[in-house]
């Protein structure tokens, strides 16, 4: 099925409704007002092609077995940057249409709705548990000594580019998330231990970054943004990774040394995109659109590892993880791969999960929780793969190996 971008052009009334109901994939108390501002700086094409692609999929023999035991506390903290895939409440108290602090979000989470765009735990929640850390608090809620174990700065609708997600009004773009991390460092600096101790703790901590989805879903593919007319797929991927490189270098300059960078999944297969067609098939046009970004990010990882002393960046191949699940759904216990558990319309993806909507009862059999986001079960499978998986999912090493490095 060919996917036509023109299908994304909505009537003004429907667009207004959808913007009040959809959730993007965020910014602490910062509202970016001009989503169609001047384009970012000129392109710099990322050089050095990526090494040979990963080998064919290998089915995990026991994907639902108990995860590896948590680490022994060798990782002081986990700092998280991203969008609604890993946001845990930073948008709750800002003027934004991108929120998930209402039922049935959190239906399987002990604390109920928290702002997580999921029925339960997110992927970074699972990673924190495997690291032996407590669940990392949202920046908007972290207080006192909590920040010493990590902070989650992620914000729904946020992107690498500052204009991304502007249709949702309030969100915390990646640049602002980095600024919020600087604020955290200032707070920690006022505590006992001294600058040397703090610097050592930050250097041994892990930084998880998952950005880019909204730069496509809530920028490039939006009819009221100019980017699709300004850049082809390769140019846009180059533009994003040029900016991404600068942002990750900022985190390095702030003391980070161990970085986990997540690639983009097969976005042409999410219910929101499936619902744009009539044949129920993934949009290969959208899947192909994001390939230059993933390719460039892999090259960026290699270059940063070579150019930044003592830094270690690893890449998580999210698309490969999900492909393993969708190729072998019965192995993982999934029966429904093309519909949201909670949502309205075709593929339950035309309008995402509404307040007090009744979700599906068999959530562990669904790949997607709503129009955009995976279920808790998928998140925890991916956390386990990222933590202890082979080179097909984590490159050049996995999270467990990264955490163990001195």
């Amino acid at each position: 099925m060919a996917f036509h971008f023109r299908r994304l052009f909505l009537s003004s009334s429907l667009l207004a409704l959808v913007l009040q109901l959809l959730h993007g994939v965020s910014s602490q108390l910062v509202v970016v007002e001009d989503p169609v501002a001047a384009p970012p700086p000129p392109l710099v094409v990322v050089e050095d092609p990526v090494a040979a692609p990963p080998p064919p999929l290998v089915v995990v023999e026991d994907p639902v077995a108990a995860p590896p035991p948590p680490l022994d506390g060798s990782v002081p903290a986990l700092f998280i940057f991203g969008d609604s895939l890993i946001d845990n409440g930073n948008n709750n108290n800002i003027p934004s249409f991108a929120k998930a602090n209402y039922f049935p979000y959190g239906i399987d989470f002990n604390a109920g709705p928290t702002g997580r765009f999921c029925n339960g735990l997110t992927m970074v929640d699972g990673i924190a548990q495997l690291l032996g850390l407590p669940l990392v608090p949202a920046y908007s809620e972290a207080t006192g000594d909590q920040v010493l174990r990590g902070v989650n700065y992620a914000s729904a609708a946020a992107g690498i580019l500052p204009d991304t997600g502007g249709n949702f009004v309030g969100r915390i773009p990646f640049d602002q998330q980095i600024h919020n991390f600087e604020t955290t460092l200032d707070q920690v600096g006022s505590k006992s231990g001294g600058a040397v101790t703090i610097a050592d703790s930050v250097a041994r901590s892990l930084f998880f970054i998952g950005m880019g989805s909204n730069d496509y879903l809530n920028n490039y593919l939006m009819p009221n943004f100019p980017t699709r007319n300004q850049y082809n797929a390769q140019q846009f991927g180059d533009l994003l990774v040029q900016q991404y490189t600068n942002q990750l270098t900022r985190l390095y300059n702030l003391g980070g040394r161990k970085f986990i960078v997540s690639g983009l999944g097969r976005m042409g297969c999410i219910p929101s995109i499936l619902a744009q067609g009539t044949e129920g098939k993934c949009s290969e046009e959208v899947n192909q659109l994001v390939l230059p970004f993933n390719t460039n990010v892999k090259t960026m990882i290699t270059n940063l590892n070579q150019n930044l002393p003592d830094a270690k960046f690893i890449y998580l191949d999210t698309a490969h993880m999900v492909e393993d699940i969708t190729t072998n759904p019965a192995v993982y216990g999934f029966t429904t791969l093309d519909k949201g558990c909670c949502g309205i319309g075709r593929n339950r993806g035309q309008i995402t999960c509404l307040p007090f909507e009744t979700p599906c009862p068999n959530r562990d059999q669904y790949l997607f929780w709503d129009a955009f986001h995976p279920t808790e079960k998928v998140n925890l499978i991916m956390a386990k793969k990222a933590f202890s998986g082979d080179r097909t999912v984590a490159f050049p090493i996995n999270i467990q190996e990264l955490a163990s490095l001195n």
Side-chain angles (χ1 to χ4, degrees):
M1 177 194 72
F3 177 85
H4 301 288
F5 289 130
R6 60 183 174 81
R7 288 184 178 141
L8 291 170
F9 286 70
L10 308 175
S11 69
S12 59
S13 59
L14 180 56
L15 180 60
L17 172 62
V18 172
L19 289 178
Q20 294 180 47
L21 300 174
L22 288 180
H23 309 307
V25 188
S26 336
S27 140
Q28 176 72 33
L29 305 180
V30 170
V31 178
V32 180
E33 298 180 349
D34 185 5
V36 293
L43 292 173
V44 174
V45 178
V46 177
E47 299 178 356
D48 295 339
V50 183
L57 288 170
V58 177
V59 178
V60 179
E61 293 183 0
D62 191 3
V64 293
L71 293 182
D72 58 4
S74 58
V75 175
L78 175 63
F79 297 103
I80 299 162
F81 305 81
D83 49 37
S84 64
L85 289 169
I86 50 180
D87 183 2
N88 63 344
N90 284 309
N91 279 20
N92 289 353
N93 297 315
I94 65 174
S96 175
F97 292 125
K99 298 190 180 191
N101 56 342
Y102 56 84
F103 187 84
Y105 286 96
I107 188 173
D108 298 312
F109 190 74
N110 288 339
T114 59
R116 288 171 170 82
F117 287 73
C118 185
N119 59 304
L121 297 171
T122 66
M123 181 178 178
V124 291
D125 290 329
I127 291 171
Q129 291 178 332
L130 291 170
L131 290 170
L133 294 169
L135 295 185
V136 179
Y139 175 72
S140 61
E141 301 171 354
T143 58
D145 289 342
Q146 281 184 317
V147 301
L148 300 176
R149 305 308 306 275
V151 180
N152 187 332
Y153 304 92
S155 167
I160 294 169
L161 302 179
D163 297 336
T164 289
N167 287 339
F168 292 92
V169 189
R171 73 274 183 218
I172 308 164
F174 191 22
D175 283 331
Q176 181 62 32
Q177 292 181 34
I178 297 171
H179 177 76
N180 291 342
F181 172 65
E182 292 185 80
T183 300
T184 298
L185 289 181
D186 291 339
Q187 294 172 346
V188 173
S190 65
K191 299 179 181 295
S192 60
V196 174
T197 300
I198 293 169
D200 176 71
S201 179
V202 171
R204 291 187 296 114
S205 297
L206 298 188
F207 289 70
F208 185 102
I209 304 97
M211 302 293 299
S213 294
N214 283 311
D215 293 291
Y216 289 94
L217 292 174
N218 291 301
N219 186 325
Y220 196 86
L221 293 175
M222 281 286 111
N224 61 324
F225 279 71
T227 41
R228 187 154 51 87
N229 296 322
Q230 295 171 333
Y231 309 106
N232 62 31
Q234 183 62 57
Q235 290 171 335
F236 192 62
D238 293 342
L239 175 68
L240 290 177
V241 174
Q242 176 198 3
Q243 179 78 351
Y244 212 11
T245 301
N246 293 335
Q247 292 163 330
L248 293 175
T249 302
R250 277 183 63 196
L251 286 175
Y252 170 85
N253 289 333
L254 290 169
R257 291 297 180 268
K258 297 181 178 184
F259 297 90
I260 306 155
V261 181
S262 179
L264 300 183
R266 289 170 54 81
M267 297 199 310
C269 299
I270 65 175
S272 174
I273 296 296
L274 290 173
Q276 306 296 327
T278 57
E279 300 176 15
K281 296 180 181 179
C282 296
S283 166
E284 286 308 312
E285 192 167 359
V286 173
N287 285 336
Q288 292 295 317
L289 175 66
V290 304
L291 287 182
F293 176 83
N294 281 343
T295 298
N296 285 356
V297 169
K298 293 175 188 176
T299 303
M300 175 190 73
I301 294 294
T302 299
N303 291 340
L304 290 173
N305 281 330
Q306 292 174 348
N307 297 330
L308 299 180
D310 300 321
K312 194 63 176 181
F313 288 79
I314 69 171
Y315 174 78
L316 300 183
D317 195 332
T318 304
H320 193 76
M321 295 184 201
V322 175
E323 186 179 354
D324 187 25
I325 295 172
T326 57
T327 303
N328 308 283
V331 175
Y332 293 92
F334 292 106
T335 60
T336 306
L337 308 178
D338 59 351
K339 298 179 179 65
C341 173
C342 186
I344 293 176
R346 189 181 299 119
N347 300 93
R348 295 183 195 154
Q350 289 180 296
I351 295 178
T352 199
C353 195
L354 295 173
F356 298 102
E357 181 181 341
T358 301
C360 66
N362 52 336
R363 293 178 282 281
D364 280 353
Q365 297 177 23
Y366 273 69
L367 185 68
F368 292 100
W369 159 249
D370 63 12
F372 300 95
H373 308 97
T375 56
E376 175 187 72
K377 182 175 178 179
V378 174
N379 284 330
L380 295 182
I381 290 172
M382 293 199 298
K384 179 184 172 185
K385 286 176 176 287
F387 187 77
S388 57
D390 60 24
R391 301 300 174 261
T392 66
V393 295
F395 161 85
I397 58 178
N398 60 39
I399 294 176
Q400 187 173 28
E401 294 166 327
L402 178 67
S404 300
L405 292 178
N406 293 325

